[in-house]
Amino acid sequence: MDHGDPESCKTQIETIKKLYKTNIPILGICLGHQLMGLATGATTAKLKYGHRGPNHPVKDLASGRVYITSQNHGYYILENSINPDIAEVSHINLNDNTVEGLRYKNKNIFTVQFHPEACPGPQDTGYIFDEFIDLVKGGNK
């Protein structure tokens, strides 16, 4: 396996499979996004150049807004490997149309590939933490 390949995280994937079966709210960021995808049956592939640094445009499909994000990864989840009964794509990368976010159906789980905690510009993606806090407080989507 290549350096950075999320499939090499076998123990973590097994732990996430167990967590998925619970009702615990989960927010996966970057590697967490990839591992949750693998734990629920999706597959990953290596990007030709990787997504590194700031200024990656990502579109939130629910709102239509585009955010400038910070990223640091070399793998991505293959969209055609996502079981539509388990999750739906919530965000896409506008440079290469790769999956940047997933919302899991009938679960308090969502994941993003980018880093909402980083600030390549304004703190536009801080809403992701607000949504997660709402889930933890018991609000379901």
Side-chain angles (χ1 to χ4, degrees):
M1 293 201 184
D2 291 330
H3 176 72
D5 187 344
E7 289 185 22
S8 67
C9 299
K10 305 263 185 236
T11 302
Q12 293 80 3
I13 292 168
E14 289 306 313
T15 299
I16 291 169
K17 285 180 181 181
K18 293 174 188 171
L19 290 170
Y20 179 82
K21 293 177 184 177
T22 72
N23 289 320
I24 297 171
I26 298 172
L27 169 58
I29 296 173
C30 197
L31 180 60
H33 164 75
Q34 295 170 6
L35 295 179
M36 180 60 75
L38 290 167
T40 56
T43 56
T44 56
K46 188 171 184 167
L47 290 160
K48 186 173 183 178
Y49 297 108
H51 294 164
R52 312 271 182 225
N55 301 322
H56 291 267
V58 170
K59 183 175 184 178
D60 180 331
L61 298 178
S63 70
R65 286 193 64 183
V66 174
Y67 299 97
I68 302 304
T69 67
S70 180
Q71 303 195 16
N72 187 25
H73 61 274
Y75 286 78
Y76 69 105
I77 293 176
L78 294 168
E79 184 172 1
N80 65 0
S81 73
I82 300 163
N83 182 335
D85 294 330
I86 293 176
E88 64 185 0
V89 176
S90 61
H91 296 76
I92 59 166
N93 186 300
L94 293 180
N95 287 333
D96 59 12
N97 292 314
T98 54
V99 175
E100 288 283 344
L102 292 171
R103 290 210 176 265
Y104 287 80
K105 297 180 178 180
N106 303 311
K107 292 287 183 178
N108 290 321
I109 301 171
F110 60 101
T111 63
V112 292
Q113 182 63 73
F114 56 91
H115 290 271
E117 77 282 6
C119 298
Q123 295 179 333
D124 291 344
T125 56
Y127 76 94
I128 289 172
F129 295 107
D130 295 335
E131 286 184 34
F132 183 65
I133 290 168
D134 286 345
L135 283 179
V136 171
K137 290 180 178 177
N140 291 330
K141 285 225 164 206

